[in-house]
Amino acid sequence: RDIFRLLRLTRPFVGAYATSLVALTAGSIAFLLIPNQLGRLIASLQSVEAGQGGKAAVDAAMTGAGLLALNGVAAIVYTFLTALVAERIVNGLRARLFSSLVNQRLDEHPPKALGQIASEFASDLSLVQDGLSTTLIDCVRHSLVTAGAFLALFLINFKMTLLALVGVGGVAGVILLFIRRSTASIMSIQRTRANVMSLLLEAASNAYIIQAYGRTGYMSARFNAALNEMFSRVWRQMLLLASMNPVCLVLFAAVMAGLGIYGLQQLRDAHLTIAMLISYFTFAALLVASMSQVGYLSGRLRQAGAILAKHDRMLALPIPADGAAGGSSAAARTVESTRRPFGFEV
């Protein structure tokens, strides 16, 4: 539900995101063809060593380089488009929140509460923008690579892939545990960061009053306590993230060792060639790496959607169109203009 809440923001820009998806799919297909060329290249090096010429090795190397170049061009296209559209969406959210804030009744929300809302929104918006651009596109890209690598493994050797699934499932279970803890940790960090920003704004706007009443020490103690709490939460989050990859890599190494023993047996029985075995292990490495990234990035998307839900009430407030209450019609036109990814408005 949180991810769908985030994706609803992309509806006005479906053309740009569709173009990004086409480029992303082309780049992912090119990337998935590289392991086969790598297997061909390594297998053909034996003939080069025996003095039988290196045409096959050169062809494999040139094809691999071309596929890498195609993947790079596609990356430029979808990265630029998603970053541009995400900036337009976020500007629309800023305009809508600003209009909601200036049209609030002050007897319902004191200025201090409105300032806290604004500081929390500014702190949270970076995760929302990242979710609409880098995180979203990387999640789709790794999903395509995961599906493609999974299909390639079955085509190379069906029995070997069934054994790999057991090990990969165990690694994926561990990754999901890390992701759940990481999601809860990041949400708590965002709350403490918003508290720090709120205290900072409060002190900046009331500096003369704080000094006049001799409350400098009290405010400093409050601010230091908030900083210490934020550092403690960030420290635990960093330790969790630092432990995730090593633990998963150890489990992955155990899975690969078992597959290696089985693969050598298949090679002796002539069920696999050297090129097929190299391609298989390359695809297996891509599969595990992409699966871990899909889990992590989907967690980031859920975080961005959950953070967006915090501000649903303020963002959902109707904006008057009659120009009353401080020129809110201009803000409405600003929000409307952000729905177009390209073009100009005078």
Side-chain angles (χ1 to χ4, degrees), residues 279-299:
S279 297
Y280 187 91
F281 281 113
T282 306
F283 277 120
L286 289 177
L287 177 64
V288 173
S290 297
M291 283 184 63
S292 64
Q293 287 298 310
V294 168
Y296 171 73
L297 293 170
S298 61

Side-chain angles (χ1 to χ4, degrees), residues 201-248:
L201 292 175
E202 180 183 351
S205 59
N206 298 285
Y208 293 109
I209 299 176
I210 293 172
Q211 295 178 23
Y213 284 89
R215 305 291 285 176
T216 304
Y218 170 75
M219 291 298 296
S220 298
R222 283 184 62 193
F223 190 71
N224 289 332
L227 285 178
N228 290 333
E229 181 183 1
M230 183 180 69
F231 179 80
S232 176
R233 294 180 184 273
V234 171
W235 179 84
R236 289 195 294 269
Q237 169 71 5
M238 293 174 64
L239 180 61
L240 186 66
L241 292 179
S243 303
M244 178 178 174
N245 283 336
V247 171
C248 293

Side-chain angles (χ1 to χ4, degrees), residues 51-336:
Q52 299 176 5
K55 185 177 184 306
V58 172
D59 290 343
M62 294 297 292
T63 304
L67 292 172
L68 282 174
L70 177 59
N71 182 49
V73 172
I76 293 174
V77 174
Y78 64 70
T79 301
F80 172 75
L81 284 178
T82 53
L84 179 64
V85 174
E87 183 65 29
R88 298 300 297 268
I89 294 174
V90 167
N91 279 341
L93 293 177
R94 291 190 181 105
R96 182 166 288 277
L97 182 74
F98 178 82
S99 180
S100 298
L101 287 175
V102 298
N103 285 287
Q104 286 287 311
R105 292 180 57 181
L106 296 183
D107 56 344
E108 294 180 359
H109 296 279
K112 178 180 177 181
L114 295 181
Q116 185 173 357
I117 292 173
S119 65
E120 289 181 2
F121 186 79
S123 177
D124 294 342
L125 203 58
S126 60
L127 286 179
V128 175
Q129 183 171 4
D130 184 70
L132 291 167
S133 55
T134 305
T135 303
L136 178 60
I137 208 70
D138 282 346
C139 187
V140 175
R141 178 169 60 88
H142 284 292
S143 298
L144 292 174
V145 172
T146 298
F150 188 74
L151 178 61
L153 292 178
F154 269 108
L155 293 177
I156 294 174
N157 192 292
F158 184 79
K159 293 181 179 180
M160 195 171 175
T161 302
L162 290 179
L163 294 175
L165 285 178
V166 177
V168 170
V171 176
V174 174
I175 291 172
L176 288 176
L177 290 177
F178 273 102
I179 290 171
R180 289 181 179 178
R181 295 294 302 274
S182 177
T183 300
S185 179
I186 287 179
M187 294 296 292
S188 65
I189 288 173
Q190 287 299 109
R191 287 193 295 269
T192 55
R193 283 177 176 169
N195 186 37
V196 168
M197 289 298 299
S198 177
L199 289 174
L200 186 62
L201 292 175
E202 180 183 351
S205 59
N206 298 285
Y208 293 109
I209 299 176
I210 293 172
Q211 295 178 23
Y213 284 89
R215 305 291 285 176
T216 304
Y218 170 75
M219 291 298 296
S220 298
R222 283 184 62 193
F223 190 71
N224 289 332
L227 285 178
N228 290 333
E229 181 183 1
M230 183 180 69
F231 179 80
S232 176
R233 294 180 184 273
V234 171
W235 179 84
R236 289 195 294 269
Q237 169 71 5
M238 293 174 64
L239 180 61
L240 186 66
L241 292 179
S243 303
M244 178 178 174
N245 283 336
V247 171
C248 293
L249 285 176
V250 169
L251 296 175
F252 175 64
V255 173
M256 293 300 291
L259 289 177
I261 295 173
Y262 183 81
L264 290 176
Q265 183 63 41
Q266 292 288 301
L267 189 62
R268 292 192 190 100
D269 297 338
H271 296 305
L272 287 175
T273 64
I274 294 178
M276 292 172 64
L277 189 61
I278 294 172
S279 297
Y280 187 91
F281 281 113
T282 306
F283 277 120
L286 289 177
L287 177 64
V288 173
S290 297
M291 283 184 63
S292 64
Q293 287 298 310
V294 168
Y296 171 73
L297 293 170
S298 61
R300 295 274 295 178
L301 289 176
R302 286 195 298 270
Q303 293 163 14
I307 286 174
L308 189 64
K310 288 171 48 180
H311 307 282
D312 269 353
R313 190 186 66 82
M314 294 298 296
L315 294 174
L317 288 177
I319 301 175
D322 57 358
S328 58
S329 61
R333 290 193 298 270
T334 302
V335 175
E336 181 66 27

Side-chain angles (χ1 to χ4, degrees), residues 33-74:
L33 293 175
I34 293 176
N36 287 331
Q37 303 305 317
L38 179 62
R40 287 180 52 203
L41 175 62
I42 296 177
S44 62
L45 292 179
Q46 293 180 340
S47 62
V48 175
E49 186 179 8
Q52 299 176 5
K55 185 177 184 306
V58 172
D59 290 343
M62 294 297 292
T63 304
L67 292 172
L68 282 174
L70 177 59
N71 182 49
V73 172

